[in-house]
Amino acid sequence: MSSQSNGDALRARVPTSNGTSSKPAIPTNSVTTKDGVVKVRIDPTLMVADVVKQLVANLQITQPSSDFALRDDDDELVTNENLRRMIKAKAKLKLVNSPAVEAQEIYEKLILREEKVFVWLSSLFNATFEEDFANEFLKRDGVPVLVDVITSSHGNTLAYALTAMKNLMDLEYGWATLDNSFIFKVVQIIASPQSLINVCRPATAILKRLVEADPASAPGPLMASSSRSPPVAPPGSVYRYGFDVVFEQMGKEPGLLETVVNRLGTADTALALNSVMLINSLLAHATDVWWEDFISQLERLNTRKAIIRLMNSHTIEDLTSCVLDFQSNMARVIYRKKTTLVEPEVEETHAMALDYIWTNSRLQVETAPDGTELKWRQLGFASENLSHEFNETGVLGLDCLKYFVQIDPDFFSKVVQEQNSRPSQRQCPLARASNEIVELLSEYWGVLAPGYATPMFQPFFLNFFKVHVLATNFFLQMWNESGAAVGDFTRVVALVRSQVKVALRQEHVRPWHEMEQDFSDCEYRSVRDRQMKELEQEDDLLSKTPVRNLRTKLFKESKEFVRQQRIHCLLQGAWFLNAVPVSAPGPRRPARQWRFMRLDNSLKHLHYVDSQSKFPVRNGLEDLPERVDIALITEIATANCAPPSDGTLACGRDRTGRFPLGDWTDGLNMLRRDSGHVASKETADFIQALTEIGLKIKLLDLSGDKVEIPSGLAAGAPPPNNDFFFSDLYDPQ
C-alpha cells in the first residue's frame, strides 16, 4: 500500500519489466485522519490489519496499529469480507479508533456512571450491531455492567441499554452470567403498563432469546448423562436457560402473558411482531412440566382470537411468517391433545371435565337390564370405559365435548334427555358423534402428525372448537331430518364429511358468517344429492384408515425431500433484483440493481454481492463479500416492487432455468431457528403432488397383488396364559 498526503508523502513505485524504472501508483481510496486527507492505494490481497499497520507506519503515528480501524462515510467497519468492495467502490474511508479501544472507552464510562451515560449508551447501542465490537465488549466482561444499567435506568436510557443487550445476545457466547434476577427484571419491564414501546420491543426480544437458549437447542454435542433428566449444557454455554427457567419467572408476574397477548393488537408493528415471536418461542419450547398450565393460560386469554384479528389487519404483510408459525404451533398443540390419553383416575383435570359434562346433562345414573351401571352410555358413548371411548381423540375429544356443553348447557341437557326418551335404536349417540367430528376435522386439516404446514391463513382452523360445535349440531340436524337409526351412524358421518369440505373451503378468504350458514342453513336432501354425486367420482379406498395413515407418512417424507431440494437451491445461489417496494419513498432503483445470493455449506450464513450487472459467479464464497446471519432473520416477506428500467423480471433464473423465488422463501423459512412452515403455494402444491403420486404407487402395488385393505384393525383378545414364545416380553398390565 502507498500513501500521499498533500503531495509530499511516500509513493509506491511500480517496477517495469526490466526492473529499472517506475511510475507513481494510482490511489484507490482516500482516508481521512485527524491531520487531513490521505490518498492511498490499497492492495486488495492484504488483510485489513496489514492495511491499517502500513497506513499507521506511513503516517508516522506512534500509537500501535491495533488501536486503529477503518470505516467508510456511513461508519461501516472495514473488514476482510468487505475490503474488496470498499476498494472497488473507491469508498472514502476514515482512520478511527478500533473496536477494542471503543469497547474499553464505553466500558469505563458505563462503570463511572457519568451524567452523559445516555450518550455512551447511544454509542453502545449502535456499536453492538458489529460483531467485532461486541466481541471486544464481552471480553471486558461488559454484560454485568450493562445489567446494572438496565436495573437502575428508565425511559430512553433503558431502551438503549436493552437494545444493546439484545444485540449482544444475538451472539452464541458471552452472556451465560445472566441470572434469574435479570430475567425477572425483564419480565417486570414487559408486564408494566407504564413501559414505553421502545422499551418493550427489545425486552420482549430478550425474553424470546432466553426461551430459545435451551440446553436441548445447543449446537454441537451435549454433555453425556446417564439419567433421563434434561440435557445439560457445557460450562460457560449460554444454552442454559430455556422455557422452564423463563416461565418460572413469568409466574411471578401473573399479568405478563395477558399484556403480551394484548399487545398483539397494538398499532406498532415491531412490538406486535416481537409479541407473536415470543408466544411462538414459548409454544415451540414448552416442556411437559408447564405445558398444560401454559396452554390453558393462552386459551383463557383468547390468544387465537387475537391472532385471527391480526390476519385481517393492514399490517399483516409484516407479520405473515410469524402468524403462520403460530398456526403451525397450534396444530402441534391440537395433535398433542389428540394423542394424550384421557385418564380420569389419574388426571384431576380430566375427572373435573367429565364431572362438568355429566352434571350439565341433568341425567341420573341408572341400572341397565343386565345389571350394570348405566351412566355414560346415556350420553351416547358405547361403553362406560371412557379411556377406551376417547382412545382415538384423546384429550382433544374431551375438550371439544366440554366446549360443546359450555356454549349452551341448556341445549345440551335438552338434547341428551330428548334422545334418552326415544327408543334405543332411534337415539342419536351424541358423545360418539362428537368424537367422530373431531376425527373428521383433524383429517380435513391434516392434523394427523406433528409436521403440519400450510402457506395459507386458516382462521377457521384456529377456531377448531367452534367449528366442532357447528359440525356437531349439523350432525344432529342430519340425524333428525333423515330419521336415522343406530345402524345409520356411518351414513350420517359421511354426510357430515361431505358438508365439512364444502363449508370450510377457501377459509383464507371467506368470512366466518358464510361458513356458519353452510352448516346451519342446509337441508338433508340437498346434502344427500351432492354426496351421491361425489361418491360417483370418488374411490372409497382413499377414506380407509390405513390409507389415510399411509398418506400422512408419505406427506412427511415428501416435505423432507422438498426441504432438502429447497436448501440445495440456496446452496447453488441465484441472481435477484435489488428492487424497491412500490410504496417506499425515495428513489425507485438502487445504484447496483442486481444481487447474487448463496447459502454457505454450514447453513448458517447467506452470502451475497451487489452489482450493476450480472456476471459469472464462481463456486464457493470468494466472489460474495457480504453475508447475513440466518439466525438473525425474523421475517421472510414478499411484496410488489417497482419495475426495473430494462423491463427484466425481479427474480433471475437459476441454473436450471426456473425462477427460484418460491424455492428461496420456503428454503429460508425452513432454515430459520423458530420456523419451518411452507410460505408459497408452489411448494405446498409440490409437496401435495409428491404425496399423492407416492400414495398411488403404493396402492398400485397393493392392488396388483390383490391385497384387501381393511377399514380398520381390531386388536384380538389377550393371551389366556404365558405359555407362548416371547412370553417374557408380555406385560399383562
Side-chain angles (χ1 to χ4, degrees):
M1 183 190 77
S2 67
S3 66
Q4 63 180 44
S5 177
N6 300 324
D8 289 331
L10 295 173
R11 292 173 181 263
R13 298 282 180 176
V14 182
T16 61
S17 57
N18 59 15
T20 59
S21 63
S22 61
K23 60 181 179 179
I26 301 175
T28 59
N29 300 82
S30 63
V31 178
T32 302
T33 69
K34 62 180 181 179
D35 297 324
V37 178
V38 179
K39 291 188 176 182
V40 298
R41 179 174 181 81
I42 302 176
D43 184 350
T45 63
L46 292 177
M47 304 291 283
V48 173
D50 294 330
V51 172
V52 174
K53 184 176 181 180
Q54 290 188 27
L55 182 61
V56 169
N58 286 344
L59 295 175
Q60 299 179 356
I61 298 175
T62 57
Q63 293 173 256
S65 61
S66 58
D67 288 351
F68 297 95
L70 291 172
R71 294 183 182 273
D72 66 4
D73 280 345
D74 295 326
D75 280 332
E76 181 182 358
L77 184 68
V78 179
T79 62
N80 294 327
E81 288 76 18
N82 63 18
L83 177 61
R84 289 190 176 189
R85 173 169 60 85
M86 295 287 188
I87 297 173
K88 187 176 180 180
K90 299 186 183 300
K92 295 181 179 179
L93 306 178
K94 299 180 291 186
L95 187 66
V96 297
N97 287 334
S98 67
V101 174
E102 291 177 343
Q104 182 64 32
E105 185 179 14
I106 292 177
Y107 174 77
E108 293 174 353
K109 296 296 182 182
L110 291 180
I111 289 179
L112 295 176
R113 298 288 183 87
E114 295 180 348
E115 294 182 0
K116 295 182 179 180
V117 66
F118 177 80
V119 176
W120 293 108
L121 280 173
S122 176
S123 301
L124 179 65
F125 160 80
N126 293 317
T128 48
F129 285 104
E130 297 176 357
E131 187 172 348
D132 289 348
F133 175 89
N135 286 330
E136 295 295 338
F137 190 75
L138 291 174
K139 285 180 183 177
R140 287 155 178 77
D141 206 18
V143 168
V145 177
L146 193 53
V147 169
D148 290 341
V149 175
I150 292 173
T151 305
S152 59
S153 301
H154 59 275
N156 290 330
T157 302
L158 178 59
Y160 277 118
L162 286 169
T163 305
M165 179 64 78
K166 176 186 76 70
N167 294 340
L168 291 174
M169 292 177 70
D170 286 336
L171 301 174
E172 296 190 353
Y173 52 86
W175 43 275
T177 56
L178 298 177
D179 56 16
N180 286 339
S181 61
F182 171 76
I183 300 174
F184 182 58
K185 176 63 178 178
V186 175
V187 167
Q188 287 180 311
I189 292 171
I190 299 173
S192 173
Q194 284 78 35
S195 294
L196 301 175
I197 289 179
N198 61 342
V199 169
C200 293
R201 287 194 215 111
T204 307
I206 287 173
L207 205 61
K208 168 184 174 291
R209 183 69 176 102
L210 289 166
V211 172
E212 294 171 348
D214 191 298
S217 303
L222 296 170
M223 294 185 67
S225 174
S226 59
S227 66
R228 293 186 178 181
S229 59
V232 179
S237 171
V238 297
Y239 288 90
R240 58 180 62 254
Y241 302 100
F243 180 88
D244 288 345
V245 174
V246 173
F247 197 72
E248 183 178 350
Q249 300 304 316
M250 289 173 59
K252 299 177 182 178
E253 280 286 343
L256 170 72
L257 203 55
E258 182 177 3
T259 302
V260 172
V261 172
N262 289 339
R263 285 177 180 150
L264 296 178
T266 180
D268 186 87
T269 305
L271 182 57
L273 175 67
N274 283 327
S275 299
V276 179
M277 292 175 67
L278 173 59
I279 293 172
N280 281 334
S281 290
L282 290 167
L283 282 168
H285 294 83
T287 59
D288 294 341
V289 177
W290 298 103
W291 189 86
E292 190 170 341
D293 184 26
F294 173 57
I295 298 301
S296 64
Q297 287 189 46
L298 289 181
E299 294 295 329
R300 178 177 55 82
L301 296 171
N302 290 320
T303 308
R304 288 181 292 174
K305 186 176 181 180
I307 294 293
I308 292 173
R309 283 198 297 267
L310 268 183
M311 291 179 176
N312 300 319
S313 71
H314 66 282
T315 60
I316 191 57
E317 286 189 4
D318 300 316
L319 302 170
T320 298
S321 183
C322 289
V323 170
L324 290 175
D325 288 345
F326 178 85
Q327 201 168 266
S328 298
N329 282 324
M330 290 312 300
R332 284 190 282 271
V333 169
I334 287 179
Y335 176 76
R336 174 164 174 166
K337 286 188 173 186
K338 188 174 183 295
T339 54
T340 301
L341 297 177
V342 174
E343 299 175 303
E345 299 84 3
V346 178
E347 297 291 338
E348 184 180 356
T349 54
H350 299 177
M352 291 174 61
L354 290 168
D355 184 62
Y356 174 83
I357 293 169
W358 175 254
T359 301
N360 282 280
S361 71
R362 301 171 190 170
L363 296 172
Q364 300 296 323
V365 179
E366 299 179 3
T367 302
D370 59 359
T372 58
E373 183 182 75
L374 185 62
K375 179 179 179 180
W376 297 110
R377 282 176 286 175
Q378 295 185 63
L379 298 185
F381 289 110
S383 69
E384 299 295 323
N385 185 348
L386 294 184
S387 296
H388 175 74
E389 294 297 319
F390 286 108
N391 185 57
E392 295 297 325
T393 60
V395 174
L396 178 63
L398 176 60
D399 288 348
C400 284
L401 182 57
K402 181 183 177 183
Y403 187 82
F404 180 85
V405 177
Q406 285 178 326
I407 288 294
D408 193 342
D410 292 336
F411 174 75
F412 172 71
S413 175
K414 178 182 176 181
V415 168
V416 295
Q417 291 186 24
E418 178 186 346
Q419 296 303 321
N420 277 278
S421 67
R422 296 180 179 182
S424 59
Q425 288 300 311
R426 291 291 177 182
Q427 293 177 10
C428 175
L430 179 61
R432 184 181 167 198
S434 172
N435 280 339
E436 195 66 34
I437 299 300
V438 172
E439 282 287 316
L440 286 181
L441 296 179
S442 298
E443 177 186 343
Y444 176 80
W445 277 308
V447 190
L448 301 172
Y452 175 86
T454 175
M456 301 293 184
F457 289 150
Q458 293 187 318
F460 299 166
F461 168 71
L462 294 184
N463 272 316
F464 191 99
F465 294 115
K466 289 185 178 180
V467 174
H468 171 268
V469 171
L470 294 172
T472 304
N473 285 331
F474 180 79
F475 185 100
L476 288 169
Q477 178 188 344
M478 293 298 102
W479 184 278
N480 293 330
E481 291 184 7
S482 64
V486 172
D488 298 321
F489 183 84
T490 304
R491 178 175 60 83
V492 179
V493 169
L495 290 173
V496 178
R497 177 182 283 108
S498 174
Q499 191 64 18
V500 162
K501 294 178 182 177
V502 172
L504 301 182
R505 69 189 186 281
Q506 295 182 319
E507 62 178 293
H508 62 289
V509 294
R510 297 180 67 224
W512 176 265
H513 68 86
E514 287 186 10
M515 184 270 293
E516 278 188 312
Q517 289 176 352
D518 284 338
F519 276 121
S520 59
D521 298 343
C522 207
E523 297 180 351
Y524 166 74
R525 182 58 56 190
S526 62
V527 177
R528 180 62 177 166
D529 290 344
R530 186 190 65 244
Q531 186 211 17
M532 294 303 295
K533 293 179 181 178
E534 292 173 351
L535 289 175
E536 294 175 1
Q537 307 169 359
E538 183 177 281
D539 188 354
D540 180 60
L541 180 66
L542 299 179
S543 63
K544 292 186 176 182
T545 301
V547 178
R548 295 204 307 266
N549 293 339
L550 176 60
R551 177 187 274 115
T552 300
K553 177 184 176 183
L554 292 174
F555 178 83
K556 293 170 64 178
E557 293 176 357
S558 300
K559 184 180 178 184
E560 179 58 26
F561 171 80
V562 173
R563 178 181 182 274
Q564 294 299 327
Q565 186 271 335
R566 296 305 191 237
I567 292 176
H568 181 71
C569 288
L570 272 64
L571 292 169
Q572 289 293 313
W575 281 102
F576 293 88
L577 193 70
N578 268 334
V580 178
V582 174
S583 58
R588 286 292 186 189
R589 288 180 293 275
R592 298 177 181 178
Q593 63 177 359
W594 288 104
R595 171 173 292 181
F596 186 89
M597 294 191 289
R598 176 180 288 155
L599 183 69
D600 65 8
N601 291 328
S602 69
L603 309 185
K604 291 184 178 181
H605 298 96
L606 189 64
H607 295 253
Y608 67 92
V609 63
D610 292 337
S611 176
Q612 293 179 352
S613 61
K614 295 182 183 179
F615 63 87
V617 181
R618 292 174 291 180
N619 292 330
L621 306 174
E622 187 175 350
D623 293 337
L624 309 175
E626 306 295 330
R627 74 179 189 181
V628 176
D629 191 340
I630 295 293
L632 301 182
I633 297 177
T634 59
E635 180 77 12
I636 310 296
T638 58
N640 294 326
C641 297
S645 56
D646 56 3
T648 55
L649 292 174
C651 177
R653 295 180 186 270
D654 63 9
R655 296 184 179 183
T656 64
R658 298 176 61 252
F659 291 104
L661 182 59
D663 298 1
W664 277 71
T665 54
D666 289 321
L668 289 172
N669 264 318
M670 292 171 175
L671 281 174
R672 285 171 50 209
R673 179 167 49 199
D674 54 353
S675 181
H677 71 264
V678 175
S680 71
K681 187 175 185 300
E682 176 191 3
T683 298
D685 290 345
F686 188 28
I687 295 174
Q688 189 63 33
L690 287 176
T691 303
E692 294 303 322
I693 291 171
L695 180 64
K696 289 177 182 178
I697 292 174
K698 295 287 187 183
L699 293 180
L700 282 173
D701 292 341
L702 293 175
S703 59
D705 295 335
K706 297 182 180 181
V707 175
E708 180 66 25
I709 301 178
S711 297
L713 296 176
N721 54 55
N722 290 345
D723 186 18
F724 60 92
F725 202 59
F726 291 131
S727 62
D728 55 326
L729 302 178
Y730 173 62
D731 183 4
Q733 300 299 324

